[in-house]
Amino acid sequence: MSAFAIPLTVVGSINADITATTERLPGPGETVGGGTLTRSPGGKGANTAVAAARLGARTRMIGAVGTDPTGTEVIAALRQAGVTVDSIAEVDAETGTALITVDAHGENTIAVCEGANAHVSIDGHDFADDTVLTQLEIPMTVVSALARTVRGFFVVNAAPALPLPAEVIDRADLIIVNESEYAALPQLRSARSVAVTSGAKGSTLFSRGEQIAHAPARRVTPVSTVGAGDAFCAALTIALRAGIPAEAALRTANAVGAYAVTDPSARPAFPTLDHFLSETGPAHDLLPTGPGKDKDRR
Ligand code: RIB
């Protein structure tokens, strides 16, 4: 079994993404025509779960969708990717939707309508000693409840950017932010472990404000960066839990994130473990051959 086959629970958002690809992003009050429309499953939580499953993690998703046909479609996409979907609730609301615009340089804007994601709950769920990864497209009360409940490795992708409660910062084993968020949130200097993504400059791991590892980015021409952060979070979490040292884990996550930007939609370019290993060269040497640190649970 791959060292990446860790038991992972993702608690987070599940969306349908409606993406317009246009030459440039519209400004306030402006209409830009000539777009190409794509509908695809998305959501920071669900994207992370799919990226993790493709890399070989035994991934369960806790989230919520509506009872509408979109809810059925987004669950089917997760199931098809190998994610365990039994813990996804169907609630009386519309399935979450993200309205995305991507320009010719891969820049984007995203407007999210939370819908069913506002009803995510962890009541009645058992986490055993799973690694648990969450994001901030679900109620912060749920993130705080996770901080009080999770016994295993607890990871918070602080996206979209919001101030984190002290109990979450104190409990998290790993917080992932981008560099402007790290600069804007001084309280993160007290966190045990913070991974900071800096786009083309790569990513850096800090502990209590001190840099402990850095890895440069892989050079790639972005088609769309939507979902790249989600893939980065999945890969970094899995690599660290698989026992890969910090600098190499960052390098692995940068490489997985670089794959993700090569498609207009969030998920199609997320690599499988075999694909990743066949193309990344040096990263191949980084993978321990034994089982990961987590014990088998499912
Ligand atoms: O991180 C990318 C995701 O953010 C998109 O898939 C969209 O659904 C928004 O939630």
Side-chain angles (χ1 to χ4, degrees):
M1 190 183 16
S2 155
F4 278 11
I6 64 162
L8 174 73
T9 295
V10 176
V11 183
S13 59
I14 306 170
N15 290 338
D17 289 356
I18 300 175
T19 304
T21 303
T22 50
E23 185 58 30
R24 60 187 179 80
L25 303 178
E30 187 186 13
T31 301
V32 172
T36 307
L37 186 71
T38 314
R39 294 172 195 272
S40 54
K44 294 185 193 308
N47 292 342
T48 304
V50 169
R54 291 230 179 115
L55 290 170
R58 289 173 302 122
T59 308
R60 165 177 69 147
M61 174 98 210
I62 295 177
V65 299
T67 51
D68 44 16
T70 305
T72 307
E73 287 167 23
V74 293
I75 287 182
L78 283 164
R79 190 184 286 117
Q80 192 185 13
V83 176
T84 300
V85 297
D86 304 349
S87 302
I88 298 173
E90 290 190 5
V91 300
D92 188 15
E94 290 194 358
T95 297
T97 304
L99 304 177
I100 302 174
T101 313
V102 178
D103 74 9
H105 306 287
E107 293 294 334
N108 66 70
T109 63
I110 305 180
V112 173
C113 309
E114 280 82 4
N117 295 306
H119 300 275
V120 172
S121 166
I122 59 166
D123 291 353
H125 291 295
D126 174 23
F127 296 95
D129 57 0
D130 274 16
T131 293
V132 175
L133 207 164
T134 193
Q135 320 76 32
L136 308 183
E137 275 184 340
I138 56 172
M140 192 65 88
T141 49
V142 176
V143 178
S144 290
L146 285 167
R148 295 190 295 271
T149 308
V150 171
R151 297 198 303 271
F153 196 76
F154 179 46
V155 182
V156 179
N157 172 17
L162 292 169
L164 288 170
E167 66 180 331
V168 174
I169 294 175
D170 291 347
R171 171 60 186 87
D173 296 294
L174 174 65
I175 297 171
I176 302 170
V177 290
N178 67 33
E179 59 182 339
S180 54
E181 290 151 14
Y182 190 59
L185 297 172
Q187 62 270 43
L188 291 180
R189 306 291 181 280
S190 67
R192 238 173 308 145
S193 187
V194 182
V196 180
T197 58
S198 310
K201 287 183 279 175
S203 57
T204 309
L205 200 60
F206 294 90
S207 181
R208 313 253 186 237
E210 301 255 323
Q211 178 175 326
I212 56 170
H214 171 79
R218 266 171 90 84
R219 281 176 182 274
V220 62
T221 305
V223 175
S224 167
T225 57
V226 175
D230 308 328
F232 175 93
C233 294
L236 181 61
T237 301
I238 295 168
L240 290 172
R241 297 307 288 152
I244 293 178
E247 188 270 337
L250 288 173
R251 201 149 26 104
T252 301
N254 289 349
V256 170
Y259 268 99
V261 304
T262 59
D263 191 276
S265 303
R267 298 184 196 169
F270 289 177
T272 62
L273 183 58
D274 284 349
H275 187 68
F276 176 70
L277 293 180
S278 69
E279 296 214 356
T280 47
H284 191 285
D285 307 332
L286 305 174
L287 290 173
T289 50
K293 285 180 181 168
D294 285 304
K295 297 235 175 353
D296 289 358
R297 194 175 68 78
R298 288 187 289 274

